[in-house]
Amino acid sequence: RAPDMQGWIIMGTGSNAAYYEPDTGSVINIEWGGLNKGLPRTDVDRFIDANSDHPGQHLFEKMISGLYLGKMVMLNLR
């Protein structure tokens, strides 16, 4: 539990998050779009990644960002 914790999320074409570290007075950008390990991925997630400009990179971002949502919905409705 961190009662003084402050965090921010950007959701748009891309996605990112940051938090305020009170001990140092710093805002830490965590670049969460680049989280790639241990994510539960579907066949659609793998297809979008394989057909993206940067396969194998920014997997989390490809799963939640606005840039990929239209394609994801279309593929899941097939």
Side-chain angles (χ1 to χ4, degrees):
R1 186 164 157 90
D4 296 331
M5 168 74 176
Q6 295 182 36
W8 305 272
I9 298 172
I10 297 170
M11 297 293 286
T13 307
S15 176
N16 206 346
Y19 70 94
Y20 176 70
E21 180 60 57
D23 293 338
T24 63
S26 300
V27 174
I28 309 298
N29 176 356
I30 63 172
E31 290 292 340
W32 76 355
L35 298 175
N36 294 328
K37 295 182 181 176
L39 295 174
R41 297 174 66 210
T42 67
D43 290 340
V44 169
D45 295 322
R46 285 186 277 281
F47 179 85
I48 289 172
D49 177 46
N51 292 282
S52 71
D53 291 338
H54 304 287
Q57 298 176 0
H58 301 285
L59 301 180
F60 185 59
E61 186 164 294
K62 291 173 188 171
M63 295 169 74
I64 65 170
S65 297
L67 180 62
Y68 304 97
L69 288 179
K71 183 79 166 177
M72 187 182 303
V73 169
M74 185 186 76
L75 291 170
N76 276 299
L77 291 177
R78 285 188 182 178

